[in-house]
Amino acid sequence: CTAGLCSVSGQADAAAFFLPYQGASSIGNSLAGSAALGEDASTVYFNPAGMSRLQTRQVSIAGHYVDPTFKYTDTGSTGPAAFTGGNGGDFAPNTFLPTLFAVLPVGAWRFGLGISAPFGSKTDYEAGWRGRFQADFTDLRVINVNPSVSYQFADWISAGVGLNYVRAEAEIERSALLPGPSEGRVRLTGEDSTFAYNFGVLINPTPATRVGISYRSRVDLDLAGRQRVTLASGAEFAAQTFDIRADLSLPAMTALSIVHDVNDRWALLGDVTFYQWGVIQQLVPRNASTGAASAPLDLRFRDSKRISAALNYRLNEAWLLRGGLAWDQAPVASAEDRTANQPDSDRTWVSLGARWDVSAAHRLDFAYAYVILAAASINHTVANAGTLRGDYDNSAHIFAAQYTFSW
């Protein structure tokens, strides 16, 4: 896979398994104003119309290191006879996610390319944990290749559109109660590639104010893979091992951003983004030959939104300082809907960042964000896997750096 992105995944620090890591410049602002800034080539992802603000050829390369702390405490789970064990440890691994964006100006046209991982999630509980009959290992990896084009119609308006090649790979593993009774293992894998689209508009109602509107389409995946069931001995349970297919949709997203230059030093940024997570209710693996359904993963997501605000300060010609706040609503409505695969809750972001204009050709961005997830309970019941009852205490540190070259 391109740029090694298909080999990385991590616990998302935005709603559900959306990954907001598209550059240090946006992380430092808690993503506020991202569809209106047009500050560097990462606008290819946030709003292709923003490419019109770039007057030279530009390449931006960024890296994001995510250090999550996700912990579970059981409060009285019930289930199969073997439903005992620990609390799963710190089950969200550290992750590094790179991005690459480029823009080429040709008259009033701009041509761009973005390569990033906009969705992904990984949970890996300690062996033998109490909730292993519902979830033990979950890994979703998505890479997005996004060629784009924009056109500036006048000084105050531009529009852009992009095509997205989306490649997804998924793996889920858990324990299962098999005849005997005995404890076996179920492993599900699947992958698919498809296309989607995005577009945006950037308007300057006044010289000091920019408004950006951006839309990214829903992505419909038909995952093809295999279900493999093994006995406690490790031997394959042939009757429950077969090829499978499963439908998974990634949500459409609509963003409205504003950037207002108060004066030569201060700028205010705001953003509201709507996510159509309600398209995801269940992940149902089906026998590829007979169509018979295996045990579904009930996610029961709802639509959600994200609200963010930021303040930028131009310290001098070389340095720009950033600070941002965001509230990110989880698509999980209740403890009954929360799953151990995706133990999501509302997030609060606090971020800081800085941009160093080394020269006209070279720019460095640095950012840090602390993400606090609201305390959340789980009371989730799965047929033949019991009821998982407990509390989650989750947070994450995000470190990002970005290099931008213009020529």
Side-chain angles (χ1 to χ4, degrees), residues 133-213:
F133 287 87
Q134 292 195 12
D136 209 348
F137 178 81
T138 305
D139 193 8
L140 173 67
R141 301 179 299 277
V142 178
I143 182 174
N144 188 72
V145 181
N146 188 185
S148 304
V149 61
S150 73
Y151 184 78
Q152 186 166 3
F153 296 94
D155 290 343
W156 60 275
I157 185 169
S158 59
V161 64
L163 177 69
N164 296 264
Y165 169 76
V166 183
R167 171 72 178 172
E169 300 174 2
E171 180 180 349
I172 297 174
E173 189 169 346
R174 59 178 175 80
S175 291
L177 200 60
L178 300 179
S182 63
E183 182 176 336
R185 299 288 290 175
V186 178
R187 181 173 180 263
L188 308 172
T189 59
E191 58 184 43
D192 188 29
S193 300
T194 190
F195 291 92
Y197 64 91
N198 66 293
F199 60 84
V201 176
L202 183 63
I203 301 170
N204 289 43
T206 73
T209 305
R210 301 190 298 279
V211 178
I213 302 172

Side-chain angles (χ1 to χ4, degrees), residues 57-393:
R57 291 168 289 185
Q58 191 174 102
V59 173
S60 287
I61 302 171
H64 313 77
Y65 181 75
V66 186
D67 179 14
T69 301
F70 278 45
K71 293 185 177 180
Y72 168 81
T73 302
D74 196 78
T75 58
S77 298
T78 59
F83 208 62
T84 58
N87 286 323
D90 190 354
F91 57 87
N94 296 354
T95 305
F96 178 78
L97 294 126
T99 61
L100 171 65
F101 296 98
V103 172
L104 172 67
V106 181
W109 295 89
R110 300 291 185 272
F111 300 91
L113 177 67
I115 304 173
S116 63
F119 294 94
S121 183
K122 186 172 185 178
T123 54
D124 187 7
Y125 292 88
E126 285 183 351
W129 89 288
R130 186 177 295 268
R132 64 191 179 276
F133 287 87
Q134 292 195 12
D136 209 348
F137 178 81
T138 305
D139 193 8
L140 173 67
R141 301 179 299 277
V142 178
I143 182 174
N144 188 72
V145 181
N146 188 185
S148 304
V149 61
S150 73
Y151 184 78
Q152 186 166 3
F153 296 94
D155 290 343
W156 60 275
I157 185 169
S158 59
V161 64
L163 177 69
N164 296 264
Y165 169 76
V166 183
R167 171 72 178 172
E169 300 174 2
E171 180 180 349
I172 297 174
E173 189 169 346
R174 59 178 175 80
S175 291
L177 200 60
L178 300 179
S182 63
E183 182 176 336
R185 299 288 290 175
V186 178
R187 181 173 180 263
L188 308 172
T189 59
E191 58 184 43
D192 188 29
S193 300
T194 190
F195 291 92
Y197 64 91
N198 66 293
F199 60 84
V201 176
L202 183 63
I203 301 170
N204 289 43
T206 73
T209 305
R210 301 190 298 279
V211 178
I213 302 172
S214 179
Y215 176 82
R216 301 192 70 87
S217 73
R218 168 175 164 172
V219 180
D220 291 317
L221 296 160
D222 178 15
L223 302 173
R226 191 160 180 81
Q227 172 177 296
R228 184 171 186 265
V229 179
T230 53
L231 305 173
S233 64
E236 187 174 275
F237 187 16
Q240 293 295 321
T241 298
F242 43 75
D243 291 338
I244 56 173
R245 303 190 79 94
D247 294 328
L248 174 64
S249 293
L250 303 176
M253 295 177 284
T254 304
L256 173 63
S257 294
I258 185 168
V259 175
H260 178 67
D261 296 322
V262 178
N263 52 41
D264 292 341
R265 291 190 179 273
W266 293 96
L268 300 174
L269 302 85
D271 182 275
V272 57
T273 300
F274 300 93
Y275 303 90
Q276 294 179 309
W277 286 110
V279 299
I280 303 177
Q281 294 300 304
Q282 287 186 321
L283 181 64
V284 185
R286 297 184 181 276
N287 187 306
S289 298
T290 67
S294 296
L297 173 59
D298 284 317
L299 292 168
R300 298 188 285 240
F301 282 173
R302 62 178 178 178
D303 294 346
S304 68
K305 58 184 173 290
R306 175 191 176 95
I307 301 170
S308 56
L311 187 65
N312 287 353
Y313 177 69
R314 169 61 71 176
L315 183 64
N316 52 43
E317 290 187 1
W319 287 95
L320 176 73
L321 306 180
R322 315 177 194 270
L325 296 170
W327 174 74
D328 198 0
Q329 182 185 34
V332 179
S334 68
E336 288 72 25
D337 294 333
R338 187 165 288 109
T339 69
N341 305 83
Q342 190 68 40
D344 204 8
S345 61
D346 294 350
R347 293 160 160 80
T348 300
W349 279 54
V350 180
S351 66
L352 297 171
R355 189 182 92 190
W356 179 24
D357 295 319
V358 182
S359 67
H362 304 281
R363 178 191 301 169
L364 294 173
D365 281 274
F366 309 94
Y368 166 77
Y370 182 52
V371 184
I372 308 165
L373 284 79
S377 298
I378 186 171
N379 186 23
H380 189 69
T381 301
V382 176
N384 300 316
T387 298
L388 185 63
R389 294 189 184 93
D391 298 319
Y392 281 98
D393 182 12

